[in-house]
Amino acid sequence: MKLATFLTSGLAAFTAAQTPAPYTDPKSGITFSILQHSSGYFFGLALPTNATGSTDFIATIGGKGTGWSGVSLGGAMLGKLLIVAWPNGQSVLGSFRKTATHASPAIATGPFTQSPIANGTYVNSTHWTYTFLCSKCIQPDKTTFLPTDTSPSLGYALNAAAPPQKTNPASSVAKHTSQGQVVFDLSKARSGRFEEWAGYAGVPVAKVGRGFEG
Ligand code: HEM
């Protein structure tokens, strides 16, 4: 099923954020365990079969319109590694964030990187999507889920309003209009094709994030 159809047909079936379910992106061919929200927001994960020692995953994040979509890799907003993304014309900007207070999260620095996967990153008439290899994104310091977790809670947050400096990946964002935490059954996100899909990734974006021409 196309994502647009999936999004539309799914609207009546759930109120806010549904249980993550398998979804294969028609352009990249990557299968994710994906969380869909009635706003059009989505966040999906793909992981290798062998959890032990793995610090990487492939993520896809997107939405409809020009607002921002965010995820907390540790579930809560405070003290966890966050990812924020939004479209800018035909580009998509992504960045890592972290905050100790309930305010617009600042850019986070660390060993983690985002390497865009070109065939899974695009803006079209129905939605935008940003797909990337998130390297060293699973950290042992309790800011993210752990490689051996089986069903961690991840956080989602979104706002349909575009960030005030939408060409700047470090822009502030307005508070989410919808947010929450959802359990991901990681066994459903694992695939023996992970390494093949990870090979689609280009070079890492700068730590501050940047625009990516999808
Ligand atoms: C100006 C920006 C932001 C403000 C003022 C803000 C404020 C808040 C507040 C006050 C809460 C508690 C629930 C509520 O009262 O609504 C909350 C929860 C949450 N926020 Fe934010 N937030 C901002 C940006 C973000 C961003 C960019 C993300 C993710 C990338 C995020 C992720 C979450 C999540 C996942 C929760 C629910 C889990 C929890 O309770 O910690 N927030 N936020």
Side-chain angles (χ1 to χ4, degrees):
M1 204 181 340
K2 287 183 178 163
L3 182 57
T5 318
F6 188 54
L7 290 170
T8 312
S9 63
L11 285 182
F14 53 85
T15 49
Q18 66 169 32
T19 304
Y23 172 76
T24 301
D25 182 279
K27 283 202 181 183
S28 68
I30 300 172
T31 301
F32 298 95
S33 180
I34 202 162
L35 168 70
Q36 298 270 350
H37 183 274
S38 54
S39 65
Y41 169 103
F42 57 91
F43 171 71
L45 273 179
L47 291 159
T49 317
N50 186 359
T52 311
S54 171
T55 59
D56 301 354
F57 56 80
I58 298 170
T60 190
I61 188 166
K64 289 181 178 174
T66 56
W68 64 266
S69 292
V71 64
S72 166
L73 299 178
M77 175 174 168
L78 304 185
K80 304 295 183 183
L81 186 59
L82 310 175
I83 293 170
V84 177
W86 62 81
N88 173 40
Q90 290 303 302
S91 306
V92 179
L93 285 75
S95 58
F96 291 103
R97 308 287 181 113
K98 200 188 269 184
T99 180
T101 61
H102 281 129
S104 183
I107 292 289
T109 52
F112 33 76
T113 56
Q114 299 173 14
S115 300
I117 291 175
N119 58 1
T121 300
Y122 49 91
V123 180
N124 68 19
S125 58
T126 61
H127 66 282
W128 60 273
T129 181
Y130 173 45
T131 303
F132 56 97
L133 176 65
C134 209
S135 299
K136 298 195 169 61
C137 287
I138 306 177
Q139 291 288 316
D141 60 359
K142 298 201 164 60
T143 60
T144 70
F145 63 93
L146 294 170
T148 49
D149 280 350
T150 52
S151 45
S153 287
L154 303 192
Y156 70 91
L158 60 104
N159 190 325
Q165 297 174 271
K166 64 177 186 167
T167 60
N168 175 5
S171 176
S172 64
V173 295
K175 187 186 172 184
H176 29 78
T177 48
S178 184
Q179 87 288 330
Q181 297 194 32
V182 171
V183 172
F184 271 74
D185 176 352
L186 295 189
S187 69
K188 294 186 174 149
R190 297 191 185 282
S191 170
R193 295 184 63 189
F194 179 84
E195 293 302 332
E196 173 195 343
W197 297 333
Y200 298 163
V203 294
V205 299
K207 286 287 161 58
V208 71
R210 66 149 205 206
F212 181 81
E213 294 292 335

